[in-house]
């Protein structure tokens, strides 16, 4: 097969000919899709996001601690005046304190920038998961309704205790959220009621 006449799917298939035989092609395709989306999201980051991620990544490693141990140790030794260097920041090291405070401010800002971006990514994935779950729930409900219709046509009676009727009902997300909110409010009221009675 010539490379020039292949479409994107065929090219992608050739790139992954040595896929894990223990996994189905669907799972392999899904893994590739997830990786492609992650790479695409990483490439969309602007220069500022890349710098913030780089600084955050470096500050989260043990090397960052070692660099500071060496830096603080050298600073203190240089400012003792015992090695022939005139102290430029004698004890109690006011300049060092100011530099470290400024570093902490900037470092925490970079961490917050990275966390905000990761939070946006998580929200995007959560929305995607919700949409897939809703589609899956709708499809499963439809399959149950079809199976029930086939069962009726074949003259097979339903079990009296069966939950089939409940499962065949369409689940609306807004109804689920309202019920969760109602039950949480009820649980809070009961907790307050119990606390009040325990105090009395």
């Amino acid at each position: 097969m010539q490379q020039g006449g292949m479409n994107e799917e065929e090219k992608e298939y050739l790139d992954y000919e040595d896929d894990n035989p223990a996994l189905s092609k669907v799972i392999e395709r899904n893994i590739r899709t997830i990786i492609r989306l992650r790479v695409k999201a990483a490439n969309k980051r602007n220069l500022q996001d890349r710098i913030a991620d780089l600084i955050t990544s470096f500050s989260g490693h043990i090397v960052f601690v070692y660099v500071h141990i060496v830096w603080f140790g050298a600073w203190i030794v240089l400012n003792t005046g015992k090695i022939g260097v005139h102290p430029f920041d004698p004890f109690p090291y006011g300049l060092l304190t100011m530099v470290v405070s400024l570093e902490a401010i900037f470092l925490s800002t970079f961490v917050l920038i990275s966390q905000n971006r990761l939070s946006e990514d998580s929200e995007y994935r959560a929305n995607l998961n919700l949409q897939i779950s809703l589609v899956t729930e709708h499809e499963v409900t439809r399959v149950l309704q079809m199976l029930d219709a086939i069962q009726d046509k074949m003259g097979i009676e339903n079990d009296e205790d069966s939950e089939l009727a409940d499962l065949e009902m369409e689940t609306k997300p807004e109804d689920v959220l309202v019920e969760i909110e109602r039950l949480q409010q009820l649980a809070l009221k009961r907790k307050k009621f119990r606390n009040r009675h325990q105090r009395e």
Side-chain angles (χ1 to χ4, degrees), residues 133-167:
S133 296
L134 289 173
V135 168
T136 303
E137 193 279 332
H138 178 73
E139 289 171 348
V140 170
T141 301
R142 186 69 186 120
V143 167
L144 285 172
Q145 291 168 347
M146 289 168 50
L147 287 172
D148 194 31
I150 292 170
Q151 186 178 356
D152 288 344
K153 278 213 183 244
M154 295 180 71
I156 301 170
E157 291 185 23
N158 281 331
D159 184 7
E160 296 266 338
D161 298 331
S162 172
E163 298 176 341
L164 185 60
D166 287 341
L167 294 173

